[in-house]
């Protein structure tokens, strides 16, 4: 936790390497101090087939999924900082957007939480 999933048009990867884009999101998320660096996960999915508005050529959207408990101001700041960093990296992009959503702790599960030795239900158990 958190997960940052980047959807973008294929042509974006001719402007910047996938690692450069993913690193920008990772480093920005890390710089906020909201997450342990080892917990941040970033992945990128390019699309070759998509439809945009008139005279729009490309897009990039970051879906950020974080555990509940951060304030609206923290989530807005995270979204804004990622938007700023990616705008600096890709100044000519037609559409660039970021959305931060929350996982509900009560309905979240992972490998650590189902481990029978994890008696304190620590989602980082064994990492």
């Amino acid at each position: 936790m958190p997960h940052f999933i980047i959807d973008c048009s294929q042509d974006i990867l001719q402007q910047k390497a996938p690692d450069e884009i993913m690193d920008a999101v990772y480093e920005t998320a890390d710089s906020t101090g909201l997450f342990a660096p080892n917990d941040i996960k970033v992945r990128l999915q390019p699309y070759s087939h998509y439809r945009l508005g008139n005279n729009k050529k490309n897009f990039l959207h970051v879906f950020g999924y974080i555990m509940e408990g951060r304030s609206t101001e923290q989530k807005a700041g995270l979204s804004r900082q990622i938007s700023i960093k990616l705008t600096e990296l890709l100044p000519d992009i037609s559409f660039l957007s970021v959305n931060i959503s929350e996982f509900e702790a009560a309905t979240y599960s992972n490998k650590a939480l189902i481990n029978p030795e994890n008696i304190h239900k620590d989602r980082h158990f064994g990492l």
Side-chain angles (χ1 to χ4, degrees), residues 34-35 69 77 79 81 83 88-89 100 102 109-110:
L34 295 173
F35 317 106
S79 179
Q81 288 177 47
S83 295
E88 291 169 356
L89 189 65
I100 305 298
E102 293 183 322
S109 186
N110 69 10

Side-chain angles (χ1 to χ4, degrees), residues 72-85:
T72 299
E73 292 78 19
Q74 288 172 315
K75 292 181 285 187
L78 173 63
S79 179
R80 183 170 170 74
Q81 288 177 47
I82 292 171
S83 295
I84 289 168
K85 182 67 171 183

Side-chain angles (χ1 to χ4, degrees), residues 15-106:
Q15 296 177 40
K16 297 293 177 185
D19 284 344
E20 191 172 0
I21 297 167
M22 291 186 296
D23 287 349
V25 172
Y26 182 97
E27 291 165 6
T28 303
D30 185 35
S31 74
T32 67
L34 295 173
F35 317 106
N38 198 40
D39 288 348
I40 301 168
K41 297 155 195 83
V42 180
R43 52 194 178 270
L44 186 145
Q45 177 64 52
Y47 290 87
S48 56
H49 303 284
Y50 54 90
R51 186 175 311 265
L52 302 174
N54 293 337
N55 302 316
K56 304 299 181 187
K57 59 183 187 244
N58 51 28
F59 73 95
L60 185 146
H61 182 83
V62 178
F63 296 90
Y65 299 100
I66 66 174
M67 186 58 70
E68 66 182 341
R70 275 56 172 219
S71 69
T72 299
E73 292 78 19
Q74 288 172 315
K75 292 181 285 187
L78 173 63
S79 179
R80 183 170 170 74
Q81 288 177 47
I82 292 171
S83 295
I84 289 168
K85 182 67 171 183
L86 290 173
T87 298
E88 291 169 356
L89 189 65
L90 299 159
D92 297 325
I93 195 166
S94 295
F95 288 113
L96 191 148
S97 53
V98 179
N99 184 64
I100 305 298
S101 299
E102 293 183 322
F103 284 107
E104 185 179 347

